Every structure is written in structure tokens, then in C-alpha cells.
Amino acid sequence: MDVSEKLILWYLEQKRDLPWRKTKDPYKIWLSEIILQQTRVEQGLDYYHKFVNTYPTIGLLAAADEEEILKNWQGLGYYSRARNLHTTAKYIHSKLKGKFPNRYEEIIKLKGVGPYTAAAIASFAFMEAKAVVDGNVYRFLSRLFDIETPINSADGIKIFQAIANDLLDKKKPDLFNQSIMEIGALICTPKNPKCLLCPIQSKCLAFEKGTITKRPVKIKKLKQTIRKIDYVVVENEDEIVMRKREAKDIWQGLYDFASIEGKDSANPESLHDLIKSTFPKTEVDSISSGPVKEYTHLLSHRKIEARFWKAEVSGVLEEKGAYKVVAKKEIKKYAVPRLIHRYLEETGLV
Ligand code: SF4
């Protein structure tokens, strides 16, 4: 029996019961794949159910309000995925008459869809013979063939894709792709792989040579950069001023507060100046003498060090440009980054 046959047999017996494996609907498969990019299956499950129930068709997702979609996405991070989801739904609904493209070459043109996701949708929904290579597949193949080429190098990407194409069962691309990802997720795990339960152990070169812990090889990532943000939360008894992040930057389309960035020296005076220059008609009663909350928040290549200061106003709050006056009891309707949600939660605002 060859590797692909063994993998498929193992998969049919051991696979996890996941809802997106029980459908051939490309819309639902696409949703699941976008949600699962950068997200663990256990966390992705709740979001998958939420999106499928709230937007059962691509037309309903296309017609939805972007802020509502971002709100439903809240907590998953990497918000560009949610914005791309909406853009693509609108494109398919209006330009393709609601029909999801059914060939890899067309699917890969969709916004937010790369080679892995296009191969997954093409093979799961349309049985097209395209091999998927995700993190689990890289790890499994690097051990099976004991490959030293870094998986995140230009050469590595080509080599691993070629090996996966070669192994692919062209008649059962859906089952083969699921099985190779599943064995990486359940058996050939990053730490302590369960080699004794592995159906491919007799063919595994890394097992034979004792190099499992050295595979896969990766080129070291770029150093993390630090971004410092001082937020000033302007509020009166019932309302708060929130800012919609409109620039092409982190958290685009989500809400946070007025801020000063990159300075270690924010203090009540500089924050007072910020409020007066942004909201000239606002009379500030008081600004906290120091930050009321401080958090460190990790993004993919960035560390955010955020401090929150509180400014109290007894009169009317000003609304201007990206700044919006929000009733405190309505805050939970706004999509906010996880960092802001933490502040709102810990200060009793949500
Ligand atoms: Fe991975 Fe071990 Fe199986 Fe090799 S034998 S493929 S290292 S689980």
C-alpha cells in the first residue's frame, strides 16, 4: 500500500467530526477556511456556526453591514480576513451572479485567498486534483522525507508543493488533502509526535534517522517591533468618545479611542492638549494623574504597549470626523480590537 492509500485509510477511521467536512457547499467551505487561517479548530468552530447561522448564504453575507461582520468576527484577530470575506462575498454576489467559482485558477483570484485556501476549496467542494500544503503538511512531509530545506524559504515552498502534488491521490483529492492535514494535526504534532500510532512510521526517514525534533527547518522570523500607544478615554456620565480606525493600519474599521503614539512622555498636560486640539469646544473637568490601565498586547510581528488615561467631561461631547459619541449602554454594538475590549470589560463598560 502506498503512502496516500495508508493516509486515507487512517483518516477514514480516525478523523475528527467537523461540520465543514460534511458539506460540499463551496461557500461554507470557504468560510471555514478563512476562519481557520491563523485560528485553532476549537476556537474556529464557534465562529463557523455563528457565521453560517447569521449568513446562511453568500447573498446574505454580501448584504450585511461591514461593522456587523467585524463585530461577529471580534475575538478572532487578523481583521483583514473579515473585511476580505465581505469584499469577496459582494464580488461573487454582484459580478458572478452569486455563483462561487469552481476552478482553482478562478478561486485563487478572490481577495484573501492564497494557494493553500484555493486548493482546499477546489478539492473539497469540486474534487479538483490540487494538493494543499499548510503548516501541518509542511511538518509531516519534512519528517517523512527528512528534508532539511527551510519550509519558509522560496525553494522550500516549491519543493514541498511538488512533493504534495506527487503524493496526491488524483481520484480522491478531497480525502487525501483532509488526511494529510489531519495526520499533521493529530499524530505528527510539533512536540511529542505519536510515532507509535503513525500509519506511515515504517516509511518515515526522520523516524529512522532520529531527526524528528530537527524537522521542520525554519528560517528565523523578523524581530518583533514595539508600538507604544497612550489612549485617552474621553467620557461624561452616559457617553464616551470612540474613534473609528480608518487608515490602512492595524485594526482598520474597528473602534478605539483618541491616542498619542510612540512617545514615552504622555502626561495629563499632553493629553489635555490632544483633547483641546481635537475637540476645541470640549471642556475637560479632569484627567487621571496616571494611566488607569496598562496592557501589553501581542500581534503577529508587533508588541503593543498600551496605556489608558481617563478624561472626564461634565458637558456635551463633541463628534468629529472619525470620532463618534457613543452611549455607554450601546458600546457592545461596536466592533473593537481585543485590547480595547479588555479595557472596556475591566472598567465595567461592557
Ligand atoms: Fe511523524 Fe513520527 Fe509518523 Fe514520522 S513516524 S511521520 S515523525 S508521526
Side-chain angles (χ1 to χ4, degrees):
M1 215 185 285
D2 65 16
V3 169
S4 59
E5 282 173 315
K6 284 190 176 197
L7 280 175
I8 291 174
L9 272 184
W10 169 85
Y11 173 76
L12 292 172
E13 279 173 15
Q14 305 291 336
K15 67 179 172 178
R16 289 168 292 177
D17 182 24
L18 299 171
W20 46 84
R21 289 182 173 162
K22 295 181 190 153
T23 179
K24 287 276 167 195
D25 180 346
Y27 167 61
K28 290 184 184 155
I29 292 170
W30 167 66
L31 265 183
S32 73
E33 289 299 335
I34 303 295
I35 289 170
L36 291 175
Q37 289 169 0
Q38 331 270 358
T39 301
R40 285 176 297 107
V41 166
E42 303 76 56
Q43 193 195 8
L45 266 172
D46 286 347
Y47 285 86
Y48 174 78
H49 288 304
K50 193 198 303 187
F51 271 77
V52 166
N53 292 334
T54 315
Y55 315 111
T57 64
I58 203 158
L60 288 169
L61 181 61
D65 183 56
E66 180 163 302
E67 282 197 23
E68 180 199 280
I69 294 174
L70 289 171
K71 183 70 198 165
N72 283 325
W73 194 267
Q74 191 169 304
L76 264 185
Y78 300 95
Y79 286 86
S80 56
R81 289 184 291 165
R83 284 189 294 271
N84 288 340
L85 211 57
H86 195 211
T87 306
T88 298
K90 286 192 282 186
Y91 169 76
I92 293 177
H93 184 65
S94 63
K95 297 275 188 286
L96 308 181
K97 300 192 177 118
K99 195 170 175 298
F100 208 98
N102 61 3
R103 303 286 307 158
Y104 175 90
E105 294 308 330
E106 297 306 314
I107 297 170
I108 201 166
K109 289 180 192 158
L110 301 174
K111 203 164 180 196
V113 170
Y116 159 76
T117 307
I121 300 169
S123 62
F124 301 157
F126 304 110
M127 295 294 281
E128 188 172 345
K130 287 282 174 189
V132 294
V133 186
D134 72 347
N136 289 319
V137 176
Y138 276 119
R139 185 173 56 256
F140 171 69
L141 292 179
S142 74
R143 289 173 175 167
L144 178 59
F145 297 107
D146 195 35
I147 300 169
E148 283 181 58
T149 314
I151 57 171
N152 52 348
S153 64
D155 277 354
I157 291 166
K158 279 188 213 143
I159 290 170
F160 283 91
Q161 184 68 56
I163 296 173
N165 292 347
D166 214 36
L167 285 180
L168 177 74
D169 182 330
K170 314 271 185 301
K171 294 205 177 94
K172 299 174 192 157
D174 53 342
L175 283 179
F176 172 83
N177 279 339
Q178 293 284 15
S179 68
I180 195 168
M181 290 196 283
E182 192 78 336
I183 199 158
L186 300 184
I187 301 286
C188 198
T189 46
K191 286 193 185 137
N192 306 319
K194 301 170 188 68
C195 300
L196 296 180
L197 300 176
C198 178
I200 317 292
Q201 191 211 84
S202 63
K203 297 185 187 278
C204 178
L205 289 181
F207 184 81
E208 191 187 311
K209 295 185 191 170
T211 52
I212 294 172
T213 54
K214 299 195 175 88
R215 306 285 174 262
V217 176
K218 271 190 205 167
I219 300 169
K220 283 222 168 64
K221 274 194 180 169
L222 290 175
K223 254 182 95 189
Q224 212 172 42
T225 54
I226 296 177
R227 192 157 162 181
K228 293 175 192 270
I229 308 179
D230 277 283
Y231 280 115
V232 60
V233 186
V234 182
E235 59 180 275
N236 63 20
E237 203 180 334
D238 302 317
E239 297 162 320
I240 192 163
V241 180
M242 300 193 79
R243 171 184 60 180
K244 187 169 185 180
R245 296 185 66 94
E246 286 166 340
K248 269 207 173 300
D249 186 14
I250 52 169
W251 305 325
Q252 191 187 357
L254 305 188
Y255 284 83
D256 61 358
F257 308 110
S259 64
I260 298 181
E261 274 217 30
K263 296 205 173 68
D264 275 327
S265 55
N267 54 43
E269 289 72 42
S270 60
L271 294 167
H272 190 269
D273 290 348
L274 169 72
I275 297 171
K276 286 312 284 180
S277 60
T278 317
F279 311 109
K281 291 186 221 136
T282 298
E283 287 304 328
V284 180
D285 294 341
S286 68
I287 293 188
S288 54
S289 55
V292 290
K293 293 279 173 196
E294 294 187 43
Y295 309 119
T296 298
H297 184 73
L298 294 179
L299 296 174
S300 52
H301 303 297
R302 251 180 290 229
K303 187 165 154 187
I304 308 235
E305 291 179 355
R307 306 195 294 179
F308 292 78
W309 305 65
K310 204 166 156 177
E312 288 184 357
V313 176
S314 50
V316 178
L317 299 176
E318 254 180 273
E319 202 158 55
K320 190 176 155 191
Y323 295 91
K324 197 172 166 62
V325 175
V326 173
K328 286 184 179 169
K329 57 179 191 304
E330 302 273 298
I331 290 179
K332 50 181 161 321
K333 293 188 182 158
Y334 289 78
V336 296
R338 204 181 293 198
L339 169 74
I340 301 299
H341 191 259
R342 187 171 170 196
Y343 171 82
L344 294 173
E345 212 170 44
E346 289 187 14
T347 51
L349 285 161
V350 292

